[in-house]
């Protein structure tokens, strides 16, 4: 992308009184966290989502699902924020009003210094009772439990039944409050920045669709393109390459 286009994009973001940033797995790809739908490296190319990421799958094979999430927790634990996460955090610091909404279950935005992140799909580091036995998700600190790693999932300290990761699985509802805040922001913002999402998973994908339907500038940072790239302003580059350039230009405006 030439310098003039980078500057124009930075100017559009700066001129917008309210910006929504919407991120997906591609935002963490350069940190070494695999995406879901990239043809060769995506998790859903190797694993079957229906066998691993639904409440039905967990009931049918709790150990398989728990252990798979432990494997993914390991990947996330070893990951560090990349230049794209850092640039988004910088936008949040320099711009008066940005809402960051992510589909990601890692905490790399927070590690990069993002002051506030709406997590639509939960947080993989957290654990809760599969039955929500204490009411709305009561988180359990795994480090305080002693359990046999071969005998998983570990039992809930309150009811003795299964623990599970605090993520949203297919066929489950997203938090109403989080979704409402994200949709309201999409209805009101003046520009949107999509980063690293295929834009196919609903209801999350409605966020950029609302922006497009309203005719506001929507930038789509994605080296391979998303389902919405044609309607948006597509930036066919990795987030960690292009976003620092945009923020460098932004800081000079
Ligand atoms: P996907 O795996 O569907 O899409 C990731 C996108 O990131 C792809 O379009 C890639 O082209 C793009 N990408 C890859 N590397 C990139 C980079 N360096 N910079 C920018 N973009 C890059 O992931 P999501 O759209 O996040 O749901 O998937 C949405 C949901 O589907 C996830 O939250 C998860 C999954 O099943 C749940 O767990 C409920």
């Amino acid at each position: 992308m030439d310098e003039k286009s980078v500057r124009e994009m930075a100017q559009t973001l700066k001129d917008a009184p309210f910006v929504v940033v919407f991120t997906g797995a591609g935002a963490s790809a350069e940190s070494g966290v695999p995406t879901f739908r990239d043809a060769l490296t995506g998790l859903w190319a190797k694993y079957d989502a229906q066998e691993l990421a639904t409440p039905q799958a967990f009931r049918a094979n709790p150990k398989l699902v728990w252990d798979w999430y432990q494997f993914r927790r390991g990947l996330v634990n070893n990951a560090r924020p990349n230049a794209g996460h850092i640039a988004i955090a910088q936008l949040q610091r320099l711009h008066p009003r940005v809402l960051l909404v992510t589909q990601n279950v890692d905490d790399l935005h927070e590690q990069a210094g993002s002051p506030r992140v709406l997590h639509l799909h939960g947080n993989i580091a957290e654990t809760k009772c599969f039955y929500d036995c204490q009411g709305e998700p009561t988180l359990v600190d795994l480090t305080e439990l002693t359990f046999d790693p071969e005998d998983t999932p570990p039992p809930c300290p309150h009811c003795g039944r299964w623990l599970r990761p605090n993520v949203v699985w297919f066929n489950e509802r997203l938090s109403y409050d989080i979704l409402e805040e994200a949709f309201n922001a999409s209805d009101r913002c003046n520009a949107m920045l999509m980063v690293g999402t295929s834009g196919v998973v609903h209801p999350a994908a409605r966020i950029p669709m609302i922006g497009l339907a309203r005719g506001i500038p929507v930038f789509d940072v994605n080296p391979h393109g998303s389902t919405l790239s044609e309607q948006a302003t597509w930036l066919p580059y990795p987030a960690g390459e292009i976003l620092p350039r945009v923020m460098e230009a932004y800081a000079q405006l």
Side-chain angles (χ1 to χ4, degrees):
M1 193 152 124
D2 63 64
E3 276 318 307
K4 184 167 169 280
S5 310
V6 169
R7 251 197 327 275
E8 279 170 5
M9 174 172 169
Q11 188 73 56
T12 303
L13 293 174
K14 190 159 190 169
D15 289 345
F18 183 18
V19 176
V20 167
V21 180
F22 175 60
T23 67
S28 297
E30 288 157 89
S31 296
V33 181
T35 63
F36 296 95
R37 292 178 187 76
D38 276 292
L40 295 175
T41 53
L43 290 171
W44 298 152
K46 283 188 229 137
Y47 303 98
D48 182 349
Q50 294 307 319
E51 281 177 16
L52 293 164
T54 66
Q56 292 76 11
F58 186 68
R59 273 182 216 281
N61 201 338
K63 181 168 173 57
L64 176 78
V65 173
W66 174 271
D67 290 351
W68 189 69
Y69 274 89
Q70 285 299 97
F71 153 73
R72 285 187 50 211
R73 278 176 170 167
L75 295 178
V76 165
N77 278 343
N78 289 328
R80 293 293 161 261
N82 64 57
H85 293 113
I86 291 167
I88 291 169
Q90 191 185 0
L91 177 67
Q92 283 180 288
R93 273 199 307 279
L94 296 182
H95 191 287
R97 194 164 176 220
V98 175
L99 181 70
L100 171 56
V101 184
T102 189
Q103 298 163 92
N104 297 344
V105 294
D106 62 51
D107 68 347
L108 296 175
H109 283 304
E110 286 89 344
Q111 283 190 45
S114 280
R116 180 156 184 261
V117 190
L118 279 193
H119 281 274
L120 292 173
H121 294 161
N123 182 336
I124 197 168
E126 295 173 349
T127 302
K128 65 179 181 180
C129 175
F130 181 59
Y131 299 91
D132 277 336
C133 69
Q134 304 290 299
E136 269 304 285
T138 305
L139 300 179
V140 170
D141 185 352
L142 258 199
T143 60
E144 291 190 349
L145 297 184
T146 35
F147 61 93
D148 178 357
E150 290 305 308
D151 189 14
T152 49
C156 171
H158 304 290
C159 70
R161 293 177 292 175
W162 297 320
L163 290 176
R164 59 165 284 182
N166 185 26
V167 297
V168 177
W169 282 327
F170 291 104
N171 308 336
E172 288 189 313
R173 275 175 208 278
L174 280 65
S175 150
Y176 178 83
D177 291 347
I178 291 177
L179 207 52
E180 187 183 52
E181 183 173 350
F183 285 159
N184 276 341
S186 311
D187 276 333
R188 290 180 172 77
C189 66
N190 312 91
M192 269 191 191
L193 177 59
M194 279 172 79
V195 181
T197 177
S198 53
V200 296
V201 172
H202 283 268
R206 245 185 79 195
I207 291 166
M209 286 177 177
I210 293 172
L212 289 167
R214 291 179 51 230
I216 60 171
V218 176
F219 298 100
D220 183 11
V221 175
N222 193 318
H224 314 297
S226 76
T227 50
L228 302 173
S229 298
E230 277 185 16
Q231 302 164 60
T233 302
W234 179 27
L235 286 79
Y237 309 96
E241 279 180 27
I242 195 70
L243 292 178
R245 286 181 60 200
V246 173
M247 286 316 298
E248 198 183 323
Y250 185 107
Q252 284 166 11
L253 291 174

